[in-house]
Amino acid sequence: FGDYLALFLDTNEAGVHWGVFCEYRAAWLREQLAASAKPVLLFMHHPFFPIGIRSMDFISLRDTGPFLAAIAGFEARIRQVFFGHIHRPICGVYRGIGYSTLRGTNHQVALDLHGDESHIVGVHEQPQYGVVLLAADQVLIHAEDYLDCGERYSLHEMREGKQD
């Protein structure tokens, strides 16, 4: 990834639906972070912080201790964390670290900030993929709703008064 160190983390564990990041995985992550001075992009399935949808938080990374210990002292070099699992577009900053996720490609989760942890609410929305453009001073993420069939049109022609 050019000027960036890209690390892909395994947070899946056979037999459970929530995220797991054990001491063994944490030791590997810490070694990788210590071995390079490059800015870091982290890719993982489960987020390591609550996102406000209780049903999804319940099955996110449950024990965040090993992960947070592994990145301790390296937070300033982590430019972006990409995760899945949530199946809806979310971006923000947690402890100074930028993060993002997109809608799922097979199903989407509704924005349900008042539900409980026992019921995940789905919704029919367009699936997404992301295009990431990297520069030395920027991580830029474009989200594309790839099944959106809306007609494209020229905004320039509209501005010039040329639209029928």
Side-chain angles (χ1 to χ4, degrees), residues 3 5 18 53-54 63 68 71 78 124 134 136:
D3 295 331
L5 173 65
W18 55 85
I53 300 174
R54 291 183 190 121
D63 180 5
L68 294 174
I71 66 169
I78 300 172
H124 293 287
L134 299 173

Side-chain angles (χ1 to χ4, degrees), residues 12 26 33 49 58 66 71 74 87 90 93 98 102 105 137 141 143:
N12 292 304
L33 293 170
F49 52 87
F58 183 70
I71 66 169
F74 297 104
H87 293 248
I90 301 172
V93 176
L102 300 172
T105 56
D137 60 349
I141 304 161

